[in-house]
Amino acid sequence: MSLKFDANEFDSALRQFKQHKPVASSTSGSDAVRIPGELDQSEAFKVRIITARAKLKLMRDRSDALRDSLQRFRMQQNNAKRA
């Protein structure tokens, strides 16, 4: 099972990340200035969060598929016993 890019999932993850982003308390007025390493770390963190969400969704989908398969198997077993 391969992991496919879903733009809606990406946007959703990014929106959730931005909602929980801590607000910097600076009185200098230069909040927009960032250290280059800090920007790289922030971007890498966003990628890790989005990747983790995608993997979690993939695991949930796989779990649902396995549960459905098990239910079908049990139904077939029950039908075989009755016949």
Side-chain angles (χ1 to χ4, degrees):
M1 185 175 268
S2 65
L3 185 63
K4 296 180 182 176
F5 177 78
D6 184 1
N8 292 329
E9 282 291 319
F10 181 83
D11 290 340
S12 173
L14 203 52
R15 276 195 303 276
Q16 287 183 357
F17 178 76
K18 287 180 180 179
Q19 288 173 356
H20 294 91
K21 187 176 181 181
V23 178
S25 59
S26 175
T27 57
S28 65
S30 62
D31 291 336
V33 178
R34 293 183 126 182
I35 300 168
E38 181 182 331
L39 185 59
D40 292 340
Q41 288 178 353
S42 175
E43 294 300 319
F45 184 66
K46 289 177 187 178
V47 169
R48 286 196 308 265
I49 287 175
I50 292 168
T51 302
R53 282 179 49 95
K55 287 179 181 178
L56 181 59
K57 183 175 182 343
L58 185 64
M59 289 187 336
R60 285 183 189 145
D61 292 345
R62 182 67 179 147
S63 175
D64 291 343
L66 288 171
R67 185 185 63 240
D68 294 343
S69 179
L70 180 60
Q71 287 176 345
R72 284 192 308 272
F73 175 76
R74 287 181 177 163
M75 288 174 56
Q76 288 174 353
Q77 293 296 315
N78 288 337
N79 290 339
K81 289 179 184 179
R82 291 181 189 158

